[in-house]
C-alpha cells in the first residue's frame, strides 16, 4: 500500500515537486488537484487556530487503498496520489492533497472529485479543532 499520511501540514514545495515529477510522463494530458485547507472558522465566538488530525492508521490505510483501487477501476487514470496530514495543521495550511492524472480531463476531474467525496465519507480520520484560548472540540473529518 502507498504511504498516505504526512506529519504536519503538506507544504507547497511538496506539492510543486509532486507536479514537476509528472512532466516526464508524456502520455498524460490532464491533471486534477484538490487541496484541503484548514479554515479559521469561528465557533461559539472562538476562532480555530489549527486542527490536530489523528487516525486509526491501519484501518485508514486500508480505506485509502480501497478508494484508490475503486477509482482506478472506475476511471481511466494514469496515476493518482493521495496525502493526508496527521498532527497539528495551522489555519491556512494544507491538510489533504489529491492529485489525479489521465489522458483526458474528464477522467482526471471526475476521479479527483470522487476520491475526495469518498475520503470525507469513509476514512477513519478525526480532527480536533484547536482554538486561540487553548480549548478544543473533536469531530470526525467530514
Amino acid at each position: 500500500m502507498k504511504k498516505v499520511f504526512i506529519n504536519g501540514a503538506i507544504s507547497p514545495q511538496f506539492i510543486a515537486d509532486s507536479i514537476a515529477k509528472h512532466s516526464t510522463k508524456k502520455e498524460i494530458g490532464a491533471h486534477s488537484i484538490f487541496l484541503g485547507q484548514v479554515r479559521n472558522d469561528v465557533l461559539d465566538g472562538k476562532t480555530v487556530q489549527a486542527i490536530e488530525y489523528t487516525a486509526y492508521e491501519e484501518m485508514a490505510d486500508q480505506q485509502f487503498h480501497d478508494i484508490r483501487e475503486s477509482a482506478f477501476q472506475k476511471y481511466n487514470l494514469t496515476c493518482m496520489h493521495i496525502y493526508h496530514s496527521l498532527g497539528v495543521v495551522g489555519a491556512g495550511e494544507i491538510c489533504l492533497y489529491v492529485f489525479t492524472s489521465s489522458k483526458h480531463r474528464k477522467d482526471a476531474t471526475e476521479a479527483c472529485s470522487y476520491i475526495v467525496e469518498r475520503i470525507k465519507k469513509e476514512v477513519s480520520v478525526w480532527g480536533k479543532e484547536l482554538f486561540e484560548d487553548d480549548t478544543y472540540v473533536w469531530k470526525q473529518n467530514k
Side-chain angles (χ1 to χ4, degrees), residues 19-67:
I19 295 166
K21 289 176 188 173
H22 289 75
S23 66
T24 60
K25 298 180 180 183
K26 296 185 175 30
E27 72 280 8
I28 293 172
H31 301 290
S32 187
I33 296 172
F34 174 84
L35 301 173
Q37 178 174 303
V38 173
R39 295 183 311 272
N40 67 339
D41 289 344
V42 176
L43 304 170
D44 296 326
K46 298 184 287 186
T47 303
V48 174
Q49 297 297 305
I51 294 180
E52 183 177 3
Y53 290 101
T54 59
Y56 178 34
E57 289 185 52
E58 188 175 317
M59 180 184 288
D61 284 340
Q62 185 61 52
Q63 291 165 328
F64 279 119
H65 175 77
D66 293 346
I67 292 168

Side-chain angles (χ1 to χ4, degrees), residues 3 15-18 20 24 28 33-35 42 45 61 76 79 90 118 122 140:
K3 181 181 182 224
I15 295 165
D17 291 345
S18 173
T24 60
I28 293 172
I33 296 172
F34 174 84
L35 301 173
V42 176
D61 284 340
N76 188 13
C79 62
R118 287 211 42 204
E122 299 172 27
Q140 182 143 16

Side-chain angles (χ1 to χ4, degrees), residues 18-142:
S18 173
I19 295 166
K21 289 176 188 173
H22 289 75
S23 66
T24 60
K25 298 180 180 183
K26 296 185 175 30
E27 72 280 8
I28 293 172
H31 301 290
S32 187
I33 296 172
F34 174 84
L35 301 173
Q37 178 174 303
V38 173
R39 295 183 311 272
N40 67 339
D41 289 344
V42 176
L43 304 170
D44 296 326
K46 298 184 287 186
T47 303
V48 174
Q49 297 297 305
I51 294 180
E52 183 177 3
Y53 290 101
T54 59
Y56 178 34
E57 289 185 52
E58 188 175 317
M59 180 184 288
D61 284 340
Q62 185 61 52
Q63 291 165 328
F64 279 119
H65 175 77
D66 293 346
I67 292 168
R68 281 180 57 80
E69 292 303 308
S70 175
F72 271 117
Q73 289 175 6
K74 189 173 172 90
Y75 301 97
N76 188 13
L77 297 176
T78 306
C79 62
M80 167 201 329
H81 304 279
I82 303 170
Y83 297 98
H84 199 297
S85 294
L86 285 180
V88 176
V89 179
E93 294 182 313
I94 302 299
C95 56
L96 175 61
Y97 170 39
V98 177
F99 180 35
T100 56
S101 305
S102 65
K103 284 187 176 190
H104 304 285
R105 88 179 159 269
K106 186 174 181 183
D107 282 315
T109 57
E110 288 181 4
C112 191
S113 181
Y114 168 82
I115 292 162
V116 170
E117 292 308 314
R118 287 211 42 204
I119 288 168
K120 299 304 274 177
K121 288 178 187 164
E122 299 172 27
V123 178
S124 300
V125 174
W126 296 270
K128 181 170 75 171
E129 294 170 324
L130 306 174
F131 298 98
E132 74 273 356
D133 65 356
D134 294 327
T135 60
Y136 59 87
V137 174
W138 279 102
K139 68 177 188 176
Q140 182 143 16
N141 189 26
K142 299 287 183 215

